[in-house]
Amino acid sequence: MILCSTLHDPDNRLLDDLTSASKVVLKNFDQWVVRTTSSTSKDVISQLEKLNVSVISDAQTIISDNIVENDHLVALYEGYNKSKLTNTHTLAYIDGDRVIVAAKYFKEEFEKMAQLINRIKFTEKYYLNLGRSPEDFFTHHAPLVQTELGFSKLYTDVFQILDKSKNVK
């Protein structure tokens, strides 16, 4: 399983939590791919790299005229490429700040979630967007809900993988 995330931390607010969180993440996932935003602190990026997290920073991104680039797609594209190299069938996405908080402060719940995902034996590539319960998701304003539903469909189409997130309980 490969976990993909985006991370925006210009003020080093999560720096102290990276070591303990990354240990939990990498214990439960084969790889953690993190796309950092252009304003993320160099200290955060450096620390993630030292912890064997696959970091894609602004400087490493190749922009093409044919690709609409955003941080989520860059993270997923890199994760998908890594999945092809390792024959990994599950590609999951969770926002970076949520991963760090969950892995550090809710370790048991995070590990149970990872175990649940790992028990699903996909034979094809699947994309799982994790992070909000349906109840929480639909409390957001309508434009956000519609945008995220649209992006979920877009990710599925772009990566040619089925979105099974609605079927995972």
Short mmCIF file of all heavy atoms in Angstrom, two decimals, residues 11-51:
data_model
loop_
_atom_site.label_atom_id
_atom_site.label_comp_id
_atom_site.label_asym_id
_atom_site.label_seq_id
_atom_site.Cartn_x
_atom_site.Cartn_y
_atom_site.Cartn_z
N ASP A 11 5.40 27.19 8.59
CA ASP A 11 5.84 27.68 9.90
C ASP A 11 6.41 26.60 10.81
O ASP A 11 6.54 26.82 12.02
CB ASP A 11 4.66 28.37 10.60
CG ASP A 11 4.09 29.51 9.79
OD1 ASP A 11 4.89 30.25 9.18
OD2 ASP A 11 2.85 29.64 9.73
N ASN A 12 6.71 25.43 10.28
CA ASN A 12 7.28 24.33 11.08
C ASN A 12 6.37 23.86 12.20
O ASN A 12 6.84 23.30 13.19
CB ASN A 12 8.64 24.71 11.66
CG ASN A 12 9.71 24.85 10.62
OD1 ASN A 12 9.68 24.20 9.59
ND2 ASN A 12 10.65 25.74 10.87
N ARG A 13 5.09 24.03 12.07
CA ARG A 13 4.16 23.63 13.15
C ARG A 13 4.12 22.12 13.36
O ARG A 13 3.84 21.65 14.45
CB ARG A 13 2.76 24.17 12.87
CG ARG A 13 2.71 25.67 12.95
CD ARG A 13 1.37 26.21 12.57
NE ARG A 13 1.48 27.65 12.39
CZ ARG A 13 0.69 28.51 12.98
NH1 ARG A 13 -0.27 28.11 13.76
NH2 ARG A 13 0.85 29.79 12.78
N LEU A 14 4.39 21.38 12.31
CA LEU A 14 4.33 19.91 12.41
C LEU A 14 5.70 19.27 12.51
O LEU A 14 5.81 18.05 12.62
CB LEU A 14 3.57 19.35 11.21
CG LEU A 14 2.12 19.81 11.09
CD1 LEU A 14 1.53 19.43 9.74
CD2 LEU A 14 1.28 19.22 12.21
N LEU A 15 6.74 20.07 12.49
CA LEU A 15 8.11 19.56 12.45
C LEU A 15 8.41 18.60 13.60
O LEU A 15 8.98 17.53 13.39
CB LEU A 15 9.11 20.73 12.46
CG LEU A 15 10.59 20.36 12.32
CD1 LEU A 15 10.85 19.68 10.98
CD2 LEU A 15 11.45 21.61 12.44
N ASP A 16 8.02 18.95 14.80
CA ASP A 16 8.33 18.11 15.96
C ASP A 16 7.58 16.77 15.95
O ASP A 16 7.98 15.83 16.64
CB ASP A 16 8.02 18.85 17.26
CG ASP A 16 8.95 20.03 17.50
OD1 ASP A 16 10.05 20.05 16.91
OD2 ASP A 16 8.57 20.94 18.26
N ASP A 17 6.50 16.69 15.18
CA ASP A 17 5.69 15.47 15.15
C ASP A 17 6.07 14.53 14.00
O ASP A 17 5.57 13.41 13.94
CB ASP A 17 4.21 15.83 15.01
CG ASP A 17 3.71 16.65 16.19
OD1 ASP A 17 4.26 16.50 17.31
OD2 ASP A 17 2.76 17.43 16.01
N LEU A 18 6.94 14.98 13.12
CA LEU A 18 7.23 14.20 11.91
C LEU A 18 7.89 12.86 12.20
O LEU A 18 7.55 11.85 11.58
CB LEU A 18 8.11 15.00 10.95
CG LEU A 18 7.45 16.19 10.28
CD1 LEU A 18 8.47 16.95 9.42
CD2 LEU A 18 6.27 15.76 9.45
N THR A 19 8.83 12.82 13.13
CA THR A 19 9.56 11.58 13.39
C THR A 19 8.63 10.48 13.89
O THR A 19 8.60 9.38 13.33
CB THR A 19 10.71 11.82 14.38
OG1 THR A 19 11.59 12.79 13.82
CG2 THR A 19 11.47 10.54 14.67
N SER A 20 7.86 10.78 14.93
CA SER A 20 6.98 9.74 15.48
C SER A 20 5.88 9.37 14.48
O SER A 20 5.54 8.19 14.34
CB SER A 20 6.37 10.19 16.81
OG SER A 20 5.64 11.37 16.65
N ALA A 21 5.36 10.35 13.76
CA ALA A 21 4.29 10.07 12.80
C ALA A 21 4.80 9.22 11.64
O ALA A 21 4.15 8.25 11.23
CB ALA A 21 3.69 11.36 12.29
N SER A 22 5.97 9.57 11.11
CA SER A 22 6.47 8.82 9.95
C SER A 22 6.78 7.37 10.31
O SER A 22 6.61 6.48 9.49
CB SER A 22 7.69 9.50 9.35
OG SER A 22 8.78 9.44 10.22
N LYS A 23 7.23 7.12 11.53
CA LYS A 23 7.47 5.73 11.95
C LYS A 23 6.19 4.92 11.89
O LYS A 23 6.19 3.77 11.44
CB LYS A 23 8.07 5.70 13.36
CG LYS A 23 9.51 6.13 13.41
CD LYS A 23 10.05 6.10 14.82
CE LYS A 23 11.48 6.63 14.86
NZ LYS A 23 12.00 6.70 16.23
N VAL A 24 5.10 5.50 12.36
CA VAL A 24 3.81 4.80 12.35
C VAL A 24 3.33 4.62 10.92
O VAL A 24 2.87 3.53 10.54
CB VAL A 24 2.77 5.58 13.18
CG1 VAL A 24 1.38 4.96 13.05
CG2 VAL A 24 3.19 5.63 14.64
N VAL A 25 3.46 5.65 10.10
CA VAL A 25 3.01 5.56 8.71
C VAL A 25 3.79 4.47 7.98
O VAL A 25 3.20 3.60 7.33
CB VAL A 25 3.16 6.92 7.98
CG1 VAL A 25 2.89 6.76 6.49
CG2 VAL A 25 2.23 7.96 8.59
N LEU A 26 5.11 4.51 8.08
CA LEU A 26 5.93 3.56 7.32
C LEU A 26 5.89 2.14 7.89
O LEU A 26 6.26 1.19 7.22
CB LEU A 26 7.36 4.08 7.21
CG LEU A 26 7.48 5.36 6.36
CD1 LEU A 26 8.88 5.94 6.44
CD2 LEU A 26 7.06 5.09 4.92
N LYS A 27 5.42 2.00 9.11
CA LYS A 27 5.18 0.67 9.67
C LYS A 27 3.92 0.05 9.03
O LYS A 27 3.82 -1.16 8.89
CB LYS A 27 5.00 0.76 11.18
CG LYS A 27 4.63 -0.52 11.86
CD LYS A 27 4.40 -0.31 13.34
CE LYS A 27 3.78 -1.54 13.97
NZ LYS A 27 3.24 -1.26 15.30
N ASN A 28 2.99 0.91 8.63
CA ASN A 28 1.70 0.44 8.15
C ASN A 28 1.50 0.56 6.64
O ASN A 28 0.57 -0.03 6.10
CB ASN A 28 0.59 1.21 8.87
CG ASN A 28 0.50 0.81 10.32
OD1 ASN A 28 -0.05 -0.22 10.65
ND2 ASN A 28 1.10 1.62 11.20
N PHE A 29 2.34 1.34 5.97
CA PHE A 29 2.27 1.50 4.52
C PHE A 29 3.65 1.20 3.94
O PHE A 29 4.66 1.49 4.56
CB PHE A 29 1.83 2.92 4.15
CG PHE A 29 0.39 3.21 4.44
CD1 PHE A 29 -0.02 3.65 5.69
CD2 PHE A 29 -0.57 3.02 3.45
CE1 PHE A 29 -1.34 3.90 5.96
CE2 PHE A 29 -1.91 3.27 3.72
CZ PHE A 29 -2.30 3.71 4.97
N ASP A 30 3.67 0.68 2.72
CA ASP A 30 4.94 0.37 2.07
C ASP A 30 5.75 1.64 1.81
O ASP A 30 6.97 1.64 1.93
CB ASP A 30 4.71 -0.38 0.75
CG ASP A 30 3.98 -1.69 0.97
OD1 ASP A 30 4.32 -2.40 1.94
OD2 ASP A 30 3.08 -2.00 0.18
N GLN A 31 5.05 2.69 1.41
CA GLN A 31 5.71 3.96 1.13
C GLN A 31 4.77 5.09 1.48
O GLN A 31 3.54 4.94 1.44
CB GLN A 31 6.07 4.07 -0.36
CG GLN A 31 7.08 3.06 -0.82
CD GLN A 31 7.42 3.25 -2.29
OE1 GLN A 31 7.71 4.35 -2.73
NE2 GLN A 31 7.39 2.17 -3.04
N TRP A 32 5.37 6.25 1.78
CA TRP A 32 4.60 7.47 2.01
C TRP A 32 5.15 8.52 1.05
O TRP A 32 6.31 8.90 1.14
CB TRP A 32 4.73 7.92 3.46
CG TRP A 32 3.85 9.08 3.84
CD1 TRP A 32 2.73 9.53 3.19
CD2 TRP A 32 3.99 9.92 4.98
NE1 TRP A 32 2.18 10.59 3.85
CE2 TRP A 32 2.93 10.85 4.96
CE3 TRP A 32 4.92 9.98 6.01
CZ2 TRP A 32 2.78 11.83 5.93
CZ3 TRP A 32 4.76 10.95 6.98
CH2 TRP A 32 3.70 11.87 6.94
N VAL A 33 4.31 8.95 0.13
CA VAL A 33 4.67 9.95 -0.87
C VAL A 33 4.03 11.27 -0.44
O VAL A 33 2.81 11.34 -0.29
CB VAL A 33 4.17 9.55 -2.27
CG1 VAL A 33 4.45 10.65 -3.28
CG2 VAL A 33 4.81 8.23 -2.70
N VAL A 34 4.84 12.30 -0.25
CA VAL A 34 4.33 13.60 0.21
C VAL A 34 4.71 14.69 -0.79
O VAL A 34 5.88 14.89 -1.08
CB VAL A 34 4.88 13.96 1.60
CG1 VAL A 34 4.40 15.34 2.03
CG2 VAL A 34 4.48 12.91 2.63
N ARG A 35 3.71 15.35 -1.30
CA ARG A 35 3.91 16.53 -2.14
C ARG A 35 3.83 17.75 -1.23
O ARG A 35 2.80 18.01 -0.62
CB ARG A 35 2.84 16.59 -3.22
CG ARG A 35 2.70 17.94 -3.91
CD ARG A 35 3.94 18.37 -4.62
NE ARG A 35 3.61 19.52 -5.46
CZ ARG A 35 4.48 20.21 -6.11
NH1 ARG A 35 5.75 19.90 -6.04
NH2 ARG A 35 4.13 21.23 -6.85
N THR A 36 4.94 18.47 -1.10
CA THR A 36 4.95 19.67 -0.27
C THR A 36 4.60 20.88 -1.13
O THR A 36 4.96 20.95 -2.30
CB THR A 36 6.32 19.88 0.39
OG1 THR A 36 7.33 19.93 -0.63
CG2 THR A 36 6.63 18.75 1.36
N THR A 37 3.91 21.83 -0.52
CA THR A 37 3.57 23.05 -1.24
C THR A 37 4.80 23.92 -1.38
O THR A 37 5.81 23.72 -0.69
CB THR A 37 2.48 23.85 -0.49
OG1 THR A 37 2.98 24.22 0.79
CG2 THR A 37 1.20 23.03 -0.35
N SER A 38 4.72 24.90 -2.25
CA SER A 38 5.87 25.76 -2.53
C SER A 38 6.32 26.55 -1.31
O SER A 38 7.48 26.93 -1.21
CB SER A 38 5.56 26.71 -3.69
OG SER A 38 4.45 27.51 -3.37
N SER A 39 5.43 26.78 -0.36
CA SER A 39 5.81 27.56 0.82
C SER A 39 6.13 26.70 2.05
O SER A 39 6.40 27.22 3.12
CB SER A 39 4.72 28.57 1.17
OG SER A 39 3.49 27.92 1.34
N THR A 40 6.13 25.38 1.90
CA THR A 40 6.48 24.52 3.02
C THR A 40 7.94 24.74 3.40
O THR A 40 8.82 24.85 2.55
CB THR A 40 6.24 23.04 2.68
OG1 THR A 40 4.84 22.85 2.47
CG2 THR A 40 6.70 22.12 3.79
N SER A 41 8.18 24.79 4.69
CA SER A 41 9.51 25.05 5.24
C SER A 41 10.54 24.03 4.74
O SER A 41 10.26 22.83 4.65
CB SER A 41 9.44 24.99 6.76
OG SER A 41 10.71 24.79 7.32
N LYS A 42 11.73 24.52 4.43
CA LYS A 42 12.82 23.63 4.02
C LYS A 42 13.19 22.66 5.14
O LYS A 42 13.63 21.54 4.89
CB LYS A 42 14.03 24.45 3.58
CG LYS A 42 13.79 25.23 2.29
CD LYS A 42 15.05 25.87 1.81
CE LYS A 42 14.88 26.76 0.60
NZ LYS A 42 13.87 26.47 -0.34
N ASP A 43 13.01 23.08 6.40
CA ASP A 43 13.28 22.19 7.54
C ASP A 43 12.33 20.99 7.53
O ASP A 43 12.74 19.86 7.81
CB ASP A 43 13.14 22.94 8.86
CG ASP A 43 14.19 24.02 9.05
OD1 ASP A 43 15.29 23.90 8.44
OD2 ASP A 43 13.93 24.98 9.79
N VAL A 44 11.07 21.23 7.22
CA VAL A 44 10.09 20.15 7.16
C VAL A 44 10.44 19.19 6.03
O VAL A 44 10.44 17.97 6.21
CB VAL A 44 8.66 20.72 6.98
CG1 VAL A 44 7.66 19.62 6.64
CG2 VAL A 44 8.22 21.47 8.24
N ILE A 45 10.76 19.75 4.86
CA ILE A 45 11.13 18.92 3.71
C ILE A 45 12.36 18.08 4.03
O ILE A 45 12.38 16.86 3.78
CB ILE A 45 11.35 19.80 2.47
CG1 ILE A 45 10.03 20.46 2.05
CG2 ILE A 45 11.96 18.99 1.33
CD1 ILE A 45 10.17 21.54 1.01
N SER A 46 13.36 18.69 4.60
CA SER A 46 14.60 17.99 4.94
C SER A 46 14.33 16.87 5.94
O SER A 46 14.86 15.76 5.80
CB SER A 46 15.62 18.99 5.49
OG SER A 46 16.77 18.33 5.92
N GLN A 47 13.53 17.14 6.95
CA GLN A 47 13.22 16.13 7.96
C GLN A 47 12.46 14.95 7.35
O GLN A 47 12.77 13.80 7.64
CB GLN A 47 12.41 16.75 9.11
CG GLN A 47 12.11 15.80 10.24
CD GLN A 47 13.34 15.34 11.00
OE1 GLN A 47 14.44 15.88 10.84
NE2 GLN A 47 13.17 14.32 11.81
N LEU A 48 11.49 15.23 6.48
CA LEU A 48 10.76 14.14 5.82
C LEU A 48 11.72 13.27 5.01
O LEU A 48 11.62 12.04 5.05
CB LEU A 48 9.67 14.71 4.91
CG LEU A 48 8.43 15.25 5.60
CD1 LEU A 48 7.58 16.05 4.62
CD2 LEU A 48 7.62 14.13 6.23
N GLU A 49 12.63 13.90 4.28
CA GLU A 49 13.59 13.13 3.47
C GLU A 49 14.48 12.27 4.35
O GLU A 49 14.77 11.12 4.00
CB GLU A 49 14.42 14.09 2.62
CG GLU A 49 13.61 14.74 1.52
CD GLU A 49 14.34 15.85 0.78
OE1 GLU A 49 15.32 16.41 1.33
OE2 GLU A 49 13.92 16.16 -0.34
N LYS A 50 14.90 12.78 5.50
CA LYS A 50 15.74 12.00 6.42
C LYS A 50 14.98 10.80 6.97
O LYS A 50 15.59 9.80 7.36
CB LYS A 50 16.19 12.88 7.59
CG LYS A 50 17.24 13.90 7.22
CD LYS A 50 17.58 14.77 8.41
CE LYS A 50 18.46 15.94 8.01
NZ LYS A 50 18.63 16.89 9.12
N LEU A 51 13.66 10.89 7.00
CA LEU A 51 12.83 9.83 7.56
C LEU A 51 12.37 8.82 6.49
O LEU A 51 11.48 8.02 6.73
CB LEU A 51 11.62 10.45 8.26
CG LEU A 51 11.96 11.31 9.48
CD1 LEU A 51 10.76 12.15 9.91
CD2 LEU A 51 12.46 10.43 10.62
#
